[in-house]
Amino acid sequence: MSEHPTAAVTSVAQVAVDTRHFIGGERVASAETFTDVSPIDGRPLGEIARGTATEAAAAVAAATSAFPIWAATPPAERARLLGAVADGVEKRLEELAAVETRDNGALLRSHRRGVMPRVAHNFRFFADRLLKLAHEDFETRGHSQHVSWDPAGPCVLITPWNAPLLLATWKAAPALAAGNTVILKPSEWSPLTASLLADIATAAGLPPGVLNVVQGYGPEVGEALVAHPDVRRVSFTGSVPTARRIATAAAAHLTPLSLELGGKSPLLVFADADLDQAVDLAVEQYDNAGQICLAATRLLVEESVAEEFTRRFTERAARLRQGDPRDEATDIGPLIHPRQLEKVDGFVRRALAAGARVVLGGHRSEGPGDRWQDGLYYAPTLLTDVAQDSEIVQEEVFGPVLTLQTFTTEDEAVRLADDTRFGLAATVATGDQERARRVTARLVAGTVWVNCFYVRDLRAPFGGSRLSGVGREGGDWSFDFYCDLKTTVTAPNGWTDGRIMGENGRADHG
């Protein structure tokens, strides 16, 4: 099969992908479509159903109708079905990896070895966690108090383009495990693997309406979803401006939100650090062409080792190979979209005009083919001589662009690290364990890595501080968000005249 879009099904990397919505267990077309284009070579991948408020209402209605049955499904059965979804992901791992690479331009080797196995693990982890979910009962004046997690209802999950299926299942797995129904709205720049997930879920036996997928643009279908009165949870990963619009739309019905937003994370390199390890950590920030919210894009290096660090960094980064992400030898692929390329290049040009100095890169780079696709490749870039209050230091670029600043004291390092509106993550490179404790305690961040990067355990809470987000997901924190917690208090003396008897036999009416 060659890549060729049709009205309902397209072939991508020799995998058939349905381009319609998935609502109530059925494929649903829209009156209009939008074109999904590969960032690798600019070729159209398919004409995707373009949702509106009509499809949003239909998806919420399907999820609302399916909710009572799914919520009443015993936890062990829900866990079994989610395990079957994980099995389906593993069976189609190569297909999912190939399609997502074609769709968003991330490395095929990363999708094969890390991303798609983690997708399956998301389902297995939360299925297993569901069966272990418990809180010890406690006693108050002889009264027994029991905590339980009740399914909340239909959940809208809005996911970004940089890690489409990984982040979709990071949200969908706990929401489904908790007994909720889901409406998944993928990014219009990378919608294809969400459609394949719907097929996998159906084959695994999820009842109709439990998982729905609605495609399209945020203003046309996303806002209608989050503003719907029957939606009981909204989880969003993306930009701060979009989060503000989502929060406004959800406010009318006080729909609870979980928001994982942007970052401008620091990497603090102290003179006592293993410098080669610190350089490796810094170069790792170019992963996925810098299109990672957690990336430590601000390198803060102790002045006494800054020159040597910079020398080693530029030598190491210069060896990165940029090109077709389907090639096993490629280290950096393209940016996702021409608009993203213009955004990244604009940040760099304005920084240079403001006095920044290019140490590495600072320009568009040649890609592996024709002129159109060459335009989406941006060279790994390092800028120095940047002011702390400058745009390039304060705003998220979301591309392969790092800045380097120096410090002389621990206090100065922490002050620079914390001096942005964000607080998603931070990385510390030091050989001093006590310093690591002092510094991490003062950093404003949802996650801090010490002498490592991007190590994430699903048992841990994840989210950001300040403008980097609201709330935490992961482990039991996910169930806390996707459920309504209930406390049941039972009297020690039984029931008398229809009232619960309290202390000294008196009826406690609250």
Side-chain angles (χ1 to χ4, degrees):
M1 296 174 68
S2 60
E3 293 184 346
H4 179 70
T6 67
V9 178
T10 187
S11 174
V12 178
Q14 299 185 333
V15 179
V17 184
D18 201 305
T19 59
R20 296 169 293 179
H21 312 289
F22 186 74
I23 299 174
E26 297 180 353
R27 290 292 177 175
V28 176
S30 287
E32 297 185 21
T33 63
F34 64 92
T35 304
D36 182 32
V37 175
S38 174
I40 300 174
D41 53 18
R43 294 181 181 177
L45 299 178
E47 293 299 314
I48 313 300
R50 182 172 172 174
T52 65
T54 299
E55 288 82 6
V60 175
T64 302
S65 177
F67 173 66
I69 296 175
W70 182 244
T73 301
E77 176 62 9
R78 292 204 301 268
R80 184 191 69 79
L81 289 169
L82 293 183
V85 175
D87 291 341
V89 169
E90 290 173 341
K91 289 176 183 176
R92 302 191 65 179
L93 189 147
E94 288 292 329
E95 294 180 348
L96 292 167
V99 170
E100 189 147 295
T101 291
R102 200 79 179 90
D103 203 15
N104 85 331
L107 299 184
L108 179 59
R109 71 175 191 232
S110 295
H111 282 141
R112 283 173 169 165
R113 300 171 191 171
V115 175
M116 296 309 163
R118 185 58 176 260
V119 167
H121 180 60
N122 283 343
F123 284 105
R124 294 198 195 284
F125 172 85
F126 285 107
D128 181 64
R129 199 75 181 180
L130 168 65
L131 301 181
K132 298 176 181 177
L133 193 63
H135 190 290
E136 63 177 354
D137 290 353
F138 49 95
E139 189 177 293
T140 303
R141 301 197 312 274
H143 293 66
S144 173
Q145 302 207 31
H146 176 74
V147 176
S148 56
W149 288 259
D150 288 355
C155 300
V156 168
L157 314 179
I158 302 178
T159 54
W161 44 260
N162 61 322
L165 195 57
L166 177 67
L167 292 177
T169 56
W170 158 255
K171 299 173 187 294
L176 293 169
N180 300 309
T181 49
V182 163
I183 306 105
L184 172 61
K185 192 272 178 198
S187 168
E188 63 273 18
W189 286 355
S190 57
L192 299 181
T193 48
S195 180
L196 293 177
L197 178 63
D199 294 337
I200 291 170
T202 299
L206 259 64
V210 171
L211 174 65
N212 307 274
V213 177
V214 178
Q215 302 151 152
Y217 298 105
E220 296 176 357
V221 69
E223 289 187 16
L225 286 170
V226 300
H228 198 289
D230 292 336
V231 170
R232 295 315 313 138
R233 294 292 187 274
V234 173
S235 180
F236 168 73
T237 298
S239 70
V240 172
T242 301
R244 289 193 173 108
R245 292 195 295 271
I246 288 172
T248 299
H253 305 291
L254 297 180
T255 307
L257 299 171
S258 176
L259 305 174
E260 194 263 282
L261 309 178
K264 195 67 181 177
S265 301
L267 166 54
L268 292 75
V269 180
F270 290 93
D272 56 23
D274 179 328
L275 215 54
D276 285 332
Q277 181 188 59
V279 166
D280 287 342
L281 290 172
V283 173
E284 193 175 350
Q285 309 311 311
Y286 290 131
D287 186 37
N288 201 20
Q291 299 170 125
I292 296 178
C293 57
L294 293 162
T297 57
R298 294 185 295 132
L299 308 182
L300 306 176
V301 184
E302 192 162 350
E303 190 172 292
S304 62
V305 297
E307 184 177 350
E308 179 63 16
F309 173 89
T310 303
R311 183 187 69 79
R312 297 190 197 185
F313 175 88
T314 53
E315 289 180 356
R316 172 76 175 79
R319 296 199 298 268
L320 293 173
R321 177 173 173 177
Q322 190 164 31
D324 191 322
R326 295 168 295 186
D327 187 335
E328 282 282 318
T330 296
D331 299 306
I332 301 178
L335 296 174
I336 181 73
H337 192 277
R339 288 211 322 249
Q340 189 67 16
L341 182 281
E342 291 302 323
K343 175 186 172 185
V344 170
D345 192 46
F347 268 108
V348 173
R349 286 187 284 104
R350 291 190 297 274
L352 296 179
R357 179 172 63 89
V358 174
V359 178
L360 182 74
H363 55 80
R364 304 182 189 200
S365 60
E366 293 184 359
D370 60 41
R371 187 173 301 171
W372 189 96
Q373 66 175 349
D374 288 349
L376 291 188
Y377 289 79
Y378 202 86
T381 296
L382 178 65
L383 303 177
T384 190
D385 295 344
V386 292
Q388 178 62 22
D389 62 354
S390 63
E391 178 192 54
I392 196 69
V393 170
Q394 293 293 326
E395 299 298 330
E396 185 177 44
V397 178
F398 222 62
V401 178
L402 310 181
T403 60
L404 189 149
Q405 299 166 271
T406 61
F407 62 86
T408 57
T409 68
E410 190 176 295
D411 284 343
E412 184 184 13
V414 173
R415 178 181 62 79
L416 292 172
D418 285 345
D419 186 22
T420 74
R421 301 177 301 156
F422 298 101
L424 185 56
T427 303
V428 178
T430 179
D432 185 332
Q433 194 171 39
E434 287 304 315
R435 167 173 279 152
R437 291 195 185 99
R438 290 194 305 269
V439 171
T440 57
R442 297 173 61 190
L443 292 175
V444 179
T447 301
V448 181
W449 287 285
V450 178
N451 296 329
C452 61
F453 177 66
Y454 207 44
V455 178
R456 287 181 57 184
D457 191 308
L458 291 183
R459 293 171 294 182
F462 180 77
S465 304
R466 296 175 175 167
L467 289 188
S468 287
V470 176
R472 296 290 187 271
E473 295 185 45
D476 292 349
W477 289 271
S478 287
F479 288 99
D480 288 349
F481 172 69
Y482 288 110
C483 292
D484 291 323
L485 271 70
K486 178 189 292 178
T487 302
T488 302
V489 185
T490 304
N493 297 324
W495 306 83
T496 302
D497 296 331
R499 298 176 296 176
I500 297 178
M501 302 304 295
E503 187 174 309
N504 298 323
R506 296 191 303 270
D508 288 344
H509 297 284

